[in-house]
Structures are given as structure tokens and as C-alpha cells.
Amino acid sequence: MSSSTREQCDVAIIGGGPSGLAAATELKRLGVDSVVVLERECEAGGIPRHCGHSPFGLREFRRILSGPSYAGKLSTAAKSQGVDVRLNTTVVSIGESGQLELSTVDGLNYINARKVILSTGIRETTRAARLVSGQRPMGVMTTGALQSLVYLEHKKPFKNPVIIGSELVSFSALLSCRHSGIRPIAIIEQNPRITAHLGLKLLARLLGVPIYCRSRLQEIMGRRTVSGVKIETASGKTNVLECDGVVFTGKFIAESSLMRKSHLQFDQATGNPVVDQFGRCSDADYFATGNMTHPVETAGFCWSHGIETAQQVYAALAGKLDKFNRRSVIYPNNSLIKYAVPQVLAIADNGHIQVENRSDSQSIQIRVNKPVKGRLSLKSGLETLAEKSINVLPERRVELELRTLSDKRLPETLYLDIEEAD
Amino acid sequence: MARQFAIEGASVLAVEKGPDILNGASKGNSAILHTGFDAPAGSIEHSCIVEGYQEYLNIRDKLGLPLLTTGALVTAWTEDEESKLEGILEKALVNGVHDAELLSARSIRKREPELSPRLRAGISIPREYVIDPWTAPFSYMLQALENGAELQCNCEVLSGKFDGSLWTVKTTQGIRKAKVVINCGGLYGDLLDEKLIGQKAFSIRPRKGQFVVYDKSASQLIGSIVLPVPNEITKGVVVCRTAFGNLLVGPTAEEQDSRDDASVLDATLRSLCRQGESIVPALAGQPITATFAGIRPATEFKDYCIRTYKEKHYISVGGIRSTGLSAALGIAKYVFDDYQVFDQKHFPSTPCIWPTVQQIAEHTTRDWQTEGNEGIVCHCELVTQREIKQALTGKLAAGSLAGLKRRTRATMGRCQGFYCSARLSELTKGFFELPIASDISQKGSGNE
Ligand SMILES: Cc1cc2nc3c(=O)[nH]c(=O)nc-3n(C[C@H](O)[C@H](O)[C@H](O)COP(=O)(O)OP(=O)(O)OC[C@H]3O[C@@H](n4cnc5c(N)ncnc54)[C@H](O)[C@@H]3O)c2cc1C
Ligand SMILES: Cc1cc2nc3c(=O)[nH]c(=O)nc-3n(C[C@H](O)[C@H](O)[C@H](O)COP(=O)(O)OP(=O)(O)OC[C@H]3O[C@@H](n4cnc5c(N)ncnc54)[C@H](O)[C@@H]3O)c2cc1C
């Protein structure tokens, strides 16, 4: 099909989770004519569709909802604003000038969009990517897979699994287990303390599930089905725990497969798309939003982020978001930093950063790899442009506000550093 | 084997102890279609590889079998390895691979710029290719079935007796009779020989090979199969693309006692990653999609152990060690020739039927690109509902979840089932002895 006969739209949004739906709804509200959400599942709503538990929706609907009813509400809101939500539609490749290749039940299709928003979310790091020893028995999965089995199909893949990891999502896995009569036998955490809020230890205790910190999964035992796991304890001893399943939780990474084979720049190490402070990708017709830009956030955060991104896209459509020829690249200069977003700052010809009128919400978001206490700073050579003292755990948001940079001339390279306090 | 004999008109029964075929050594391999350039000259293995290679190319259009015409490079990274290239080239020429060619590091890196600058020199083997480890054997078996063969899975051979004209074979599914028995028992070949003829001419020495499979984005880094200079025991760690659009690094060569423990070890996997990165530095930071291990049915001999027992109407096809995928069609021809001593008269079924199985290689037209695919179920590997339904039905229907994965690639991608497990569980309900999950309502069962 030649591109002239292809279907055209103003904005195509890839992924109909909270961030994509929020962006679509906002764009329609602002008066954009044709807004299309392309969603590969048979229903929109993203991850919350199969998070049968609460809390969702406080920010958006000022009510506590379960995942599925939250997903339903977001999707209804989008449709009633006139968003064209296309289900069972997988975007298989993205190209320059907003050309998208789709697979639907009818085979290949194409659409051309003036602007594209990537909101494809995240997934958890699998057993394979963690390089875990053992054979390949059934009953080894991620929380995502467990939840879709439990909540969408009402099935349970095991009875007494171990849960690997102690992020927020690990406790979500715990709740999903309880929902379906699965009794996890332990939560295994490598670090000295759980990654999620300490309060959640109480939840585990209430449910009678012990948490083993400073413990490392050594091997999955069993050939056809899981028969146990070997755990290395703090003292270097190996314990065998009998169980019939293993749930790998968290260690989220961006669902960036589309990007990895496209013309867009992305961060090799994290898989996150390279964006500027407006959420724009290296091709200015593309924007990214939601969890994929900063794994992992709550649904409410992603929803707000979707709305902000929609406003930038709206400005871009109206020609109000300047194309900047100059950029400052932010390099994390310390292995404590897991990632920093945005990775580049678009700067005006006079060397000053352009910030929006809603500048108070704009910041550089940083995640750390291990608990850190110290000073975070943004530097250009020897000069410190911004700094702040931090005391954070992994998977917690750290923000460095951009507003403080507005009176500075920015060079092409900036470095982020952390000086640990002793 | 089943295919060759069925096409020749023999009445064939294949029995497999697993719930599906490809349950043994064939479960995990590098999927290289070898030219035999480095095989022992004059060996049965070499002649079967050459024959199998040629036959694969001859029939691949008719069966719709995939082929990545990658070519291979034998690469030397040390002075010692470099000094061995001359010998390897000579052997390749003796083995009939006349287009093998010695290349400087510069000209190799021109072709493969992502190779580490540590490279010293290499040999190009232009006709060494990559194929799809599943589709090829599935096609062979399907063609056998379409031409009259019968396949019985979950059927283990326990013992047997030959009375001078007929074999009586005891299996877990009852007694079977046959005029001739061919043992293709892979990792259990020696044990099966003992059970059936009370003697064996070889002992299996299981040799495990672990692999790391990188994300599809990594396959852009390299075009050719990158082979090391082999040593006495192994062909060594290879870096090559797969037919599924990934990049694999492996295998290791580890002697072990177990014939079925295909476990991976974290330390070994990490060392494979390091080896991969030392060959292709840009592999650092590439996501890993899968890890797996396969077990080679190696023996004490440096050749296949194919032996005909004339008076027992029995052929043992043992020790098909690390080249069996390439050599399979050649081995079948070789064995069929040997089989002539039994003086059985067969008349080829006419016309020969050429079925095609589902295309799952990345560079072929896949189902998601066509109409009526019923939607995508596995998003990473773009597997459609229609493909899954097809794999669950028909003459060579999947007999286990693993079998379904090998036919469709479902859940084999980067998310390993994060997104599609639930729908897969629904679609496969009632098909497998070991389901993905049981209904939540069955609470009372088991250890609760
Ligand atoms: C197990 C778990 C429990 C959680 N619990 C909570 C909780 O209790 N409270 C809370 O606030 N948050 C929770 N979260 C976080 C919340 O679910 C996410 O923050 C939120 O869903 C992110 O929204 P998103 O739109 O960025 O991405 P997602 O929700 O991941 O949506 C992405 C969408 O894109 C689609 N997509 C991807 N690729 C393509 C493509 N190529 N073509 C078409 N469509 C595509 C996907 O199908 C999906 O629908 C939880 C997350 C997980 C994993
Ligand atoms: C790590 C690795 C890498 C490799 N790389 C390559 C490569 O790149 N190129 C290449 O050409 N080859 C390669 N190979 C070699 C190739 O995979 C093997 O040579 C081939 O799979 C051997 O096939 P087979 O049919 O002899 O054995 P198997 O696949 O083991 O088949 C034997 C079957 O017999 C069944 N069986 C056993 N006992 C009984 C019984 N009593 N009753 C009923 N059924 C029984 C088993 O269940 C099994 O399914 C590699 C192998 C490994 C392990």
C-alpha cells in the first residue's frame, strides 16, 4: 500500500494502559480531531486489567477501586470522549514520519499518524534473564503471568510457590496467591531489607508467609514440575525449600521491543527510550509516556504522566513546541544510578533550557541500585548546577527539579553523580 | 528415518517414550546446517553430513523448510589458534569444502564490524548455514505420517525378542510386532540395544551443552556463524543467529552421568555471556531472552555408531553426537542402504505426499501477516490463535506444552509468558497430561 492511500490520524497511541488511555482522553478533551489507541489485547486497560486487588484510582476517580474496575472506568472515559480504541491490534513496527505497521485479525495493516505516543508499559525480568540455575520445570513464572492466570482465567498454576523479590509487586503477587487459595511458603530477598515499604512486612506476617532477607535463589529443582529451590543464606549455607512453583517478581524493564528495532534512540542498558523533558523521543514525531519511560510507577502516576504528555503533544501539533537543534545529554556518572529520565534536555539557541509554564512538575527522575544516603548532583565539568541531599532505597522516585536550571547556560554534556555520606 | 522408510513404501511404526517427538537430544541444539568441513575424514559421520546437507537443500523448497544463508567464519583469537588455521583449511579441502578460504582479520572485520578487534585471522566457510531446529524434524515426521507411517507417543520400548522371522516388542502400550527393528534411541541407544539384543557396541557418554539466547535486537550485530578453532573434545562456543531472529552463544561441552538432566548453571551462563562479549563486545547490555541446555549422545568413539545385526533383523543407529540435525537425512539414506541386506521388498507409495508444516522462522511469511489469523496470543514471538489451534490438532498434534512451544514458539520470547500464559492455558485446556494450571475451584485437591 502506498503511504498516500494509508489511513491517517492526528495522534496514534501505542498501548491502551492507564497512561495511553489518559493521554488519549486528554487529547480529545483538548479538541484534537482523530485520536486512535492501538491495543493488542482484547480489552483496553493495561496491567490493572489483571490486578484483581486494590488500591487503584485514588488520583483519578478519588475512590479506591480494584484493578479491573479501574481499567474499565478508564476505558469507558476514553470512549465517551470520542477516542477510537482499536483492540486486538498489535503494532509490529514503527517508522519515520509516524508510519506504523499493524497486525490485526485481517493480517497486515498500516496507519500514518502526525504524532505517535509510545505507552507500551513494562514487563518483569524473567528467570532466563536472571540466569538462574536448574532445569526447566513448569510452574516458574512472573507476577504478570500469575495474575493473568488467576484473575482472567481463574486458574492456579501451583499450590505452594516461593516468591522471589520484595518490591511492591511482590506483595501484589502475594495477594493474588491468597485470592486463589495458593499458599506461598516464603518471600526471598537478596538485600538486607525488603524493597517495598516496611509496613508490608506486616501483611506477609498476617498471611503467615515468612520473609527471608539476605537470601539468594541458587537453583530451581525439579524436572517436569518444580520440587524445590536451593537458597543461599547470609552465612553462605545452602537450604532447600520444598515448593511447587517459583514466582519471579519485579525488576521491571520497559517493554521496548518496538523501539529496539526502530530508528528511535534508546538506552542500551535499561531499554528505556531516550526522551527530552517534554517526553519527546529522538524523532520529534514520537513521544513516550507512562511506565515505559521510568519503570516502575503506580497506575495513578502513569495516568498523570499520560495527561502531561498529551499536553506536550497538543502543543507540538499546534506548532508550539519548538524543534530544538541543541541538546544537553545527561550521563549518569556513578554505578549507584540505575537510570535517569529524561536522558537529554532540549535547549534553546541561547543555551537555556526551555521549561513549560507548568515547570514545577518537570524534573529529572533518578532511580538507584541500592540503598543510598548522600548528595545527588548535576554537574558540568567542575561546576555543580543543581544538587540535593538524598536518602533513598531502590525503586523509589528521586527528583531533581528542572526549574533550578532555568537561569543557567547548559553545555552539551551534563553528569549526574552521587557522593555517598559515610 | 521414519520419513525415508515411509517414502520407500515400508510400513513404519515410530514409537516414542515421551509425550511428543523431539524429546531427547534433539530438544536443544545450535541449529547449524554443517557442511562437514571439520568432520573426521572418511567417517560415517562425514559422509552422512555431506549427504544430509545436500538432501536438505534438495527438499527444502518442497517441504517449505527455512534456511538462513549465513556462512560461517572459523575465528582465531590467539597465536596458537592462528597456527591451527592452516590445518583446518587443509582438512576442509580434503572434506570437499572447496570454497573454504583463509582471511585476514581486516577483511573479516570489514564483513563483520562488530567482531572484537582482538581477532587475528580466520577461515570463511561460505555454505555453512542456520536452519530451524524444530520445523525440519517436524516436517520429516509429518511427511512420514502423510505417507503411511504411524507414530505412537508415550510409548516406551521395554524389551523385545526376535524369533528368526518376526520381532515381538514389549512397550508400555502393549506388544508390537515388526520384521525389522531400528534403534534410534539417542541418549538411551546403548540401553535399548541391551534390552533388545542383549549386547551393545558403544556406551553413551552424555555431554551437556548450555546456551544463552539474546534478544532479537542482538541478531543485527552479526551476520555469519562465528565459530572458534575447535579442540579435541568440542567444536567450541559459537556465536550465531537463530532462525527465530535471536542470537545465541553456546554450547559448552560438559561430560555428565545423567542422560536427562539438562540443567543450566548460573556461573556457566555468566561465563558464556563473557565469552560472547569477548567475541562481539556490543553484546554487553543486550537483553537475554532465554537460557537452555541440550545433551549430546556422545560415545567413546569419534564417529556415529551405526551397526547392522543381520541375523537379528536389527539396526542400531547410535551415537548421533553433535551433528545429527544436519546429517539426519543422510543417516536415513545410509541406514536404508544397509537395510537392503534384509531383502524386504517395498514399493514407493505414489505419488509421494509433500506436506508443509507451519512456518515459524522469522524471515518467512508468518501467520500474523495474513488474514483470518484470529489475533495474536504471544506478543513477543507474534504467535496467533490460529497457529496455536493448528498445532494442537492434526496428524502431528503437540503432545505437551513443550511440544506446542516448539511448534509455535509461544512463550519462548523475551517475556517468557508474562503476557500470554493465561490465554495459552485456556486454549490448551484438556490437551496435555500436565496442564499449565488447574481451575481455582479444585481447591480440595492435593496437599491443601
Ligand atoms: C503485578 C502488578 C501489580 C500492580 N499493582 C498496582 C496497584 O495496586 N496500584 C497501582 O496504582 N499500581 C499498580 N501497579 C502498577 C500499574 O499497573 C502500572 O503503573 C500501570 O499499569 C502502568 O500503565 P501504562 O499505561 O504505562 O502501562 P501498561 O498498563 O503496562 O499498559 C501498556 C499497554 O500497552 C499494550 N501494548 C504493548 N505493546 C503493544 C504493541 N506493540 N501494540 C499494541 N499494544 C501494545 C499492552 O497490551 C498494554 O495494554 C501494578 C503493576 C503490576 C505489574
Ligand atoms: C548442545 C548441542 C548442540 C548441537 N548442535 C548441532 C548443530 O548445530 N547442528 C547439528 O546438525 N546438530 C547439532 N546437535 C546434534 C543433534 O541435536 C543431535 O545429533 C540429534 O538431535 C540426535 O538425534 P537423535 O534422533 O539421534 O536422538 P534424540 O533426539 O535423543 O532422539 C531419541 C528419541 O528416542 C526416544 N527413546 C529413547 N529410548 C526410548 C525407548 N526405550 N522407547 C521409546 N522411545 C525411546 C527418546 O525419548 C528420544 O525422543 C547438537 C546437539 C547438542 C546437544
Side-chain angles (χ1 to χ4, degrees):
Chain A
M1 207 192 291
S2 80
S3 59
S4 58
T5 61
R6 280 184 188 174
E7 187 186 346
Q8 311 278 333
C9 68
D10 289 324
V11 184
I13 294 165
I14 309 178
S19 63
L21 290 174
T25 312
E26 177 68 4
L27 282 164
K28 282 306 285 187
R29 198 188 62 78
L30 291 168
V32 177
D33 199 28
S34 59
V35 179
V36 180
V37 170
L38 305 162
E39 170 56 54
R40 61 192 184 182
E41 294 288 336
C42 56
E43 262 176 69
I47 300 255
R49 274 182 62 226
H50 49 77
C51 277
H53 56 74
S54 39
F56 285 92
L58 262 178
R59 236 191 250 226
E60 308 85 324
F61 304 109
R62 313 215 173 285
R63 283 173 53 191
I64 293 187
L65 300 167
S66 77
S69 53
Y70 168 76
K73 267 178 122 53
L74 286 181
S75 151
T76 311
K79 282 181 212 148
S80 60
Q81 271 289 352
V83 175
D84 178 359
V85 181
R86 302 210 190 145
L87 304 174
N88 297 312
T89 303
T90 305
V91 180
V92 287
S93 75
I94 58 179
E96 279 168 41
S97 326
Q99 292 190 36
L100 310 180
E101 189 186 13
L102 320 173
S103 167
T104 68
V105 287
D106 303 323
L108 273 184
N109 255 309
Y110 301 88
I111 192 166
N112 269 27
R114 289 171 63 203
K115 299 286 172 212
V116 180
I117 302 180
L118 302 166
S119 50
T120 50
I122 38 151
R123 62 188 138 84
E124 291 165 288
T125 299
T126 62
R127 174 220 170 141
R130 296 175 193 232
L131 301 179
V132 175
S133 302
Q135 303 202 44
R136 293 204 292 169
M138 283 176 60
V140 178
M141 59 186 65
T142 53
T143 318
L146 170 69
Q147 291 194 327
S148 53
L149 276 170
V150 164
Y151 293 114
L152 297 181
E153 305 288 349
H154 305 288
K155 285 183 187 301
K156 53 176 177 182
F158 34 57
K159 297 190 184 96
N160 304 105
V162 290
I163 294 176
I164 309 297
S166 66
E167 297 179 31
L168 205 50
V169 62
S170 319
F171 293 88
S172 166
L174 184 59
L175 287 175
S176 312
C177 285
R178 294 304 296 178
H179 166 84
S180 49
I182 297 169
R183 291 168 161 274
I185 58 158
I187 292 176
I188 309 293
E189 170 56 53
Q190 207 169 342
N191 290 322
R193 57 153 283 170
I194 65 167
T195 309
H197 302 281
L198 285 176
L200 285 167
K201 275 170 84 172
L202 195 64
L203 173 70
R205 190 175 313 149
L206 278 174
L207 297 176
V209 179
I211 301 177
Y212 300 129
C213 286
R214 296 179 206 271
S215 298
R216 191 181 69 88
L217 172 66
Q218 226 175 21
E219 184 189 326
I220 297 177
M221 297 154 70
R223 198 165 73 88
R224 292 219 318 162
T225 53
V226 177
S227 63
V229 288
K230 282 190 189 152
I231 304 290
E232 188 186 316
T233 64
S235 60
K237 237 178 61 194
T238 298
N239 283 346
V240 173
L241 293 181
E242 268 181 46
C243 59
D244 66 352
V246 183
V247 190
F248 285 100
T249 66
K251 286 202 175 181
F252 283 100
I253 45 173
E255 172 59 301
S256 57
S257 359
L258 272 179
M259 230 169 359
R260 284 187 178 269
K261 40 177 203 181
S262 78
H263 63 299
L264 299 180
Q265 232 187 332
F266 68 95
D267 182 344
Q268 278 281 353
T270 58
N272 296 1
V274 170
V275 291
D276 67 9
Q277 69 269 39
F278 306 110
R280 255 185 323 194
C281 300
S282 56
D283 170 348
D285 290 334
Y286 283 81
F287 288 73
T289 194
N291 258 342
M292 82 164 324
T293 56
H294 34 51
V296 55
E297 284 288 357
T298 62
F301 182 95
C302 293
W303 177 81
S304 308
H305 194 223
I307 292 176
E308 274 167 40
T309 308
Q311 288 160 357
Q312 310 296 0
V313 172
Y314 180 70
L317 281 171
K320 285 189 190 138
L321 197 62
D322 294 340
K323 271 208 173 129
F324 293 108
N325 302 321
R326 300 186 53 186
R327 326 194 294 173
S328 283
V329 183
I330 303 171
Y331 292 99
N333 204 19
N334 189 316
S335 60
L336 290 170
I337 301 173
K338 187 175 169 194
Y339 68 74
V341 184
Q343 297 87 342
V344 299
L345 298 175
I347 49 179
D349 283 334
N350 65 7
H352 285 281
I353 182 173
Q354 172 88 16
V355 280
E356 280 294 290
N357 28 3
R358 302 174 68 248
S359 58
D360 48 318
S361 72
Q362 286 190 313
S363 61
I364 303 173
Q365 256 213 49
I366 294 122
R367 292 290 157 93
V368 293
N369 282 317
K370 58 171 226 187
V372 184
K373 208 180 211 173
R375 280 197 91 65
L376 170 71
S377 56
L378 183 68
K379 291 181 179 161
S380 145
L382 291 175
E383 189 192 355
T384 299
L385 300 172
E387 63 177 338
K388 118 188 230 182
S389 62
I390 55 170
N391 181 5
V392 284
L393 296 168
E395 298 311 324
R396 302 289 156 77
R397 197 184 309 145
V398 185
E399 288 178 305
L400 203 58
E401 280 174 16
L402 286 181
R403 202 176 28 183
T404 57
L405 296 178
S406 54
D407 58 340
K408 309 239 162 62
R409 277 179 68 89
L410 299 183
E412 269 172 31
T413 44
L414 298 169
Y415 296 96
L416 266 177
D417 210 345
I418 294 177
E419 218 173 286
E420 273 188 285
D422 19 48
Chain B
M1 204 68 63
R3 170 183 175 273
Q4 179 76 35
F5 279 74
I7 288 177
E8 295 287 353
S11 90
V12 176
L13 168 67
V15 293
E16 165 59 55
K17 68 175 178 181
D20 202 338
I21 65 166
L22 306 186
N23 211 47
S26 309
K27 237 191 309 204
N29 61 49
S30 330
I32 298 173
L33 183 64
H34 295 296
T35 51
F37 76 91
D38 59 348
S43 62
I44 300 178
E45 181 173 16
H46 178 251
S47 73
C48 288
I49 294 175
V50 170
E51 183 87 36
Y53 178 96
Q54 198 47 54
E55 187 66 2
Y56 185 89
L57 295 186
N58 292 345
I59 66 171
R60 81 170 198 94
D61 276 343
K62 277 188 177 166
L63 284 179
L65 300 177
L67 185 75
L68 286 186
T69 51
T70 52
L73 295 164
V74 182
T75 49
W77 304 90
T78 63
E79 207 179 317
D80 182 44
E81 288 174 358
E82 196 175 349
S83 70
K84 289 189 178 141
L85 289 180
E86 203 67 48
I88 295 171
L89 184 66
E90 242 165 64
K91 188 168 185 186
L93 297 178
V94 170
N95 280 351
V97 181
H98 298 296
D99 50 1
E101 188 187 3
L102 205 60
L103 295 178
S104 68
R106 230 180 95 213
S107 58
I108 292 179
R109 293 195 56 236
K110 224 175 180 169
R111 212 162 96 191
E112 299 290 356
E114 293 291 344
L115 280 181
S116 160
R118 291 188 307 109
L119 182 72
R120 299 178 72 101
I123 297 173
S124 151
I125 315 283
R127 287 175 299 111
E128 196 95 344
Y129 299 141
V130 168
I131 61 177
D132 156 359
W134 320 126
T135 310
F138 278 132
S139 298
Y140 306 157
M141 184 51 92
L142 187 65
Q143 193 177 18
L145 298 179
E146 293 287 358
N147 287 286
E150 216 187 304
L151 168 67
Q152 184 92 58
C153 287
N154 293 310
C155 181
E156 181 175 355
V157 172
L158 302 171
S159 62
K161 262 206 183 73
F162 182 62
D163 66 5
S165 65
L166 210 59
W167 271 95
T168 305
V169 178
K170 206 170 133 199
T171 77
T172 46
Q173 300 218 21
I175 302 287
R176 299 292 158 133
K177 305 243 177 200
K179 289 186 182 147
V180 177
V181 169
I182 302 174
N183 170 6
C184 299
L187 290 157
Y188 296 85
D190 53 346
L191 302 182
L192 204 51
D193 273 355
E194 278 178 340
K195 282 178 192 162
L196 293 172
I197 56 171
Q199 66 186 97
K200 59 172 187 183
F202 62 93
S203 303
I204 290 293
R205 296 192 178 162
R207 192 182 293 154
K208 182 164 75 181
Q210 303 186 40
F211 292 91
V212 172
V213 182
Y214 284 87
D215 190 79
K216 296 194 194 302
S217 52
S219 73
Q220 296 161 1
L221 296 174
I222 210 105
S224 319
I225 302 165
V226 183
L227 305 165
V229 169
N231 62 27
E232 274 297 284
I233 313 155
T234 160
K235 284 177 172 297
V237 170
V238 177
V239 178
C240 81
R241 289 190 282 150
T242 73
F244 310 133
N246 297 82
L247 189 91
L248 66 75
V249 178
T252 54
E254 306 161 55
E255 306 267 344
Q256 63 178 34
D257 291 333
S258 170
R259 296 164 192 251
D260 64 1
D261 180 353
S263 53
V264 292
L265 190 70
D266 48 5
T268 311
L269 297 173
R270 276 198 295 275
S271 124
L272 278 176
C273 292
R274 277 196 303 274
Q275 287 182 63
E277 287 164 22
S278 77
I279 297 168
V280 181
L283 271 181
Q286 285 287 341
I288 289 164
T289 297
T291 62
F292 70 93
I295 308 173
R296 308 170 185 89
T299 66
E300 64 270 47
F301 303 108
K302 287 205 167 72
D303 198 354
Y304 296 163
C305 304
I306 302 180
R307 195 165 172 158
T308 302
Y309 296 84
K310 189 168 180 230
E311 59 302 340
K312 290 190 171 134
H313 279 211
Y314 184 87
I315 305 175
S316 175
V317 186
I320 311 300
R321 28 185 225 157
S322 47
T323 48
L325 180 65
S326 314
L329 297 168
I331 298 170
K333 277 183 186 286
Y334 181 95
V335 172
F336 191 74
D337 277 350
D338 276 3
Y339 168 83
Q340 297 314 314
V341 300
F342 301 128
D343 217 16
Q344 307 285 326
K345 295 271 173 297
H346 300 310
F347 303 96
S349 59
T350 45
C352 177
I353 298 166
W354 293 87
T356 47
V357 298
Q358 287 178 37
Q359 288 302 328
I360 58 169
E362 196 74 358
H363 59 295
T364 55
T365 302
R366 296 270 313 276
D367 197 48
W368 59 264
Q369 293 165 312
T370 63
E371 215 174 312
N373 59 49
E374 301 180 26
I376 292 172
V377 174
C378 166
H379 296 298
C380 301
E381 296 296 318
L382 300 175
V383 183
T384 67
Q385 177 164 306
R386 177 167 64 184
E387 282 177 313
I388 288 174
K389 284 186 179 163
Q390 275 169 5
L392 289 169
T393 52
K395 276 213 164 101
L396 193 57
S400 65
L401 180 63
L404 179 69
K405 292 180 179 183
R406 291 197 270 273
R407 280 172 186 74
T408 63
R409 290 165 52 189
T411 78
M412 305 268 259
R414 42 176 86 85
C415 91
Q416 302 269 302
F418 179 91
Y419 291 112
C420 68
S421 297
R423 273 186 75 195
L424 214 51
S425 147
E426 189 58 29
L427 288 169
T428 57
K429 196 172 165 177
F431 280 97
F432 307 138
E433 182 205 331
L434 201 62
I436 299 176
S438 56
D439 290 333
I440 284 178
S441 51
Q442 301 174 351
K443 267 188 189 160
S445 63
N447 51 1
E448 282 211 355

